[in-house]
Amino acid sequence: MAAIRISAMKTAKAGEIIELKALIRHKMETGFRRGSRGEAIPRDIITHFVCLYNGEAVFEADFFPSVAANPFLIFYTRATESGTLEFRWTDQHGTVSSQTANISVES
Amino acid sequence: MKPEQPSTDIDRRAFLVGGMGLAVASFLPLSTKAAPADMQAAVKELFGDRPLQEGGVTITIPPIAENGYSVPLTIDVDSPMTPEDYVKKIAVFSPRNPIPNLVQFTLGPRTGLARVSTRIRLAGTQKILVVAEMSDGTLKSAAAETMVTVAACIIG
């Protein structure tokens, strides 16, 4: 559906707080704009984001039309164990886009 | 030769007036702006009647945003983010955008640090409100004003 960019450290120490950056290319059409002929442009937005750390949600976001185009997030999580981080976006039609990043945690 | 200026003049005037009307109509937003009362209603809908405590929340937003289509926003909440004491939810509200809810975040002890950054749209100069719900149910809040020179939503 769209281009995704993720920034996450590949290795971390156990207990360390790591920064995660996630961007998805999406126009986030508000539904408040009109086209060149005055017709209303229908709303088309991503409504939900979740970051799963080995399947468990560590951060979630709910988007409304006031989130800028190409939604960008910086958030944090505590490195607990090696595994995968899944970044998952869902749009208003239920379409899911996701990408995963591996993390190896040293004790 | 007689100039036919008068009749074309009237047509042109009628055309211009009609065109201006259309132009003005096309700039009107589809729905009216959210009033501050709508913002209070949105806060109440999400968090009920619990009192808001000012402080404990830091909003980082430019005081002047040249472009209302993308305004960087960072929110910090004072919290140790332990299983006993953490931030459950952060909600951002607008008194002026068409919908008072801007964005909401759900956090937990595994989030580790109660800080989040994103980019928002602002339909004009306004004072946004951030409410953070703690794990014990208390609500912390802060507000920050941004002057917007080119507003989102108003121009196509």
Side-chain angles (χ1 to χ4, degrees):
Chain A
M1 178 177 99
I4 293 171
R5 273 195 232 162
I6 301 295
S7 163
M9 280 194 279
K10 288 189 171 65
T11 58
K13 288 197 176 86
E16 188 184 348
I17 287 168
I18 55 171
E19 185 186 71
L20 305 168
K21 294 182 186 175
L23 183 142
I24 186 165
R25 199 168 67 202
H26 195 283
K27 58 191 170 180
M28 294 294 281
E29 187 61 58
T30 61
F32 295 110
R33 298 197 309 149
R34 288 175 185 272
S36 54
R37 276 168 292 162
E39 78 284 11
I41 303 172
R43 180 169 298 161
D44 181 10
I45 63 165
I46 290 173
T47 51
H48 189 249
F49 168 82
V50 61
C51 176
L52 302 159
Y53 192 150
N54 284 341
E56 192 187 331
V58 293
F59 176 87
E60 287 180 68
D62 291 292
F63 293 158
F64 294 85
S66 293
V67 171
N70 305 323
F72 174 65
L73 290 167
I74 306 176
F75 56 96
Y76 299 83
T77 192
R78 198 181 295 277
T80 50
E81 55 191 2
S82 297
T84 58
L85 289 162
E86 186 188 352
F87 302 80
R88 191 190 287 174
W89 290 262
T90 309
D91 73 8
Q92 64 184 58
H93 312 292
T95 310
V96 173
S97 308
S98 78
Q99 188 161 318
T100 55
N102 291 319
I103 181 164
S104 99
V105 176
E106 305 146 4
S107 52
Chain B
M1 205 197 274
K2 258 191 175 178
E4 286 179 23
Q5 212 58 21
S7 64
T8 55
D9 220 31
I10 288 163
D11 284 348
R12 192 174 65 190
R13 184 169 301 143
F15 174 77
L16 280 175
V17 168
M20 270 157 61
L22 274 178
V24 168
S26 69
F27 277 111
L28 290 172
L30 287 185
S31 82
T32 50
K33 291 172 195 165
D38 292 341
M39 182 172 89
Q40 296 310 324
V43 175
K44 201 172 166 180
E45 192 187 326
L46 198 62
F47 296 115
D49 286 322
R50 283 175 278 169
L52 301 184
Q53 298 169 15
E54 265 184 55
V57 178
T58 309
I59 305 171
T60 309
I61 191 165
I64 298 174
E66 284 176 15
N67 181 356
Y69 283 97
S70 183
V71 184
L73 167 71
T74 298
I75 298 159
D76 281 274
V77 184
D78 293 340
S79 169
M81 295 305 274
T82 58
E84 297 78 34
D85 184 4
Y86 60 93
V87 180
K88 262 164 81 175
K89 203 168 192 78
I90 299 172
V92 186
F93 300 96
S94 157
R96 199 168 168 183
N97 279 22
I99 297 175
N101 292 310
L102 299 192
V103 62
Q104 294 165 5
F105 307 106
T106 307
L107 295 80
R110 293 201 60 183
T111 310
L113 181 64
R115 178 188 296 161
V116 58
S117 302
T118 189
R119 295 175 190 145
I120 57 170
R121 290 173 171 140
L122 292 175
T125 297
Q126 56 184 294
K127 198 176 197 177
I128 61 159
L129 173 73
V130 175
V131 179
E133 184 185 29
M134 316 306 284
S135 51
D136 63 2
T138 55
L139 303 176
K140 292 182 179 176
S141 76
E145 180 144 21
T146 296
M147 208 173 105
V148 178
T149 44
V150 179
C153 307
I154 306 296
I155 54 167

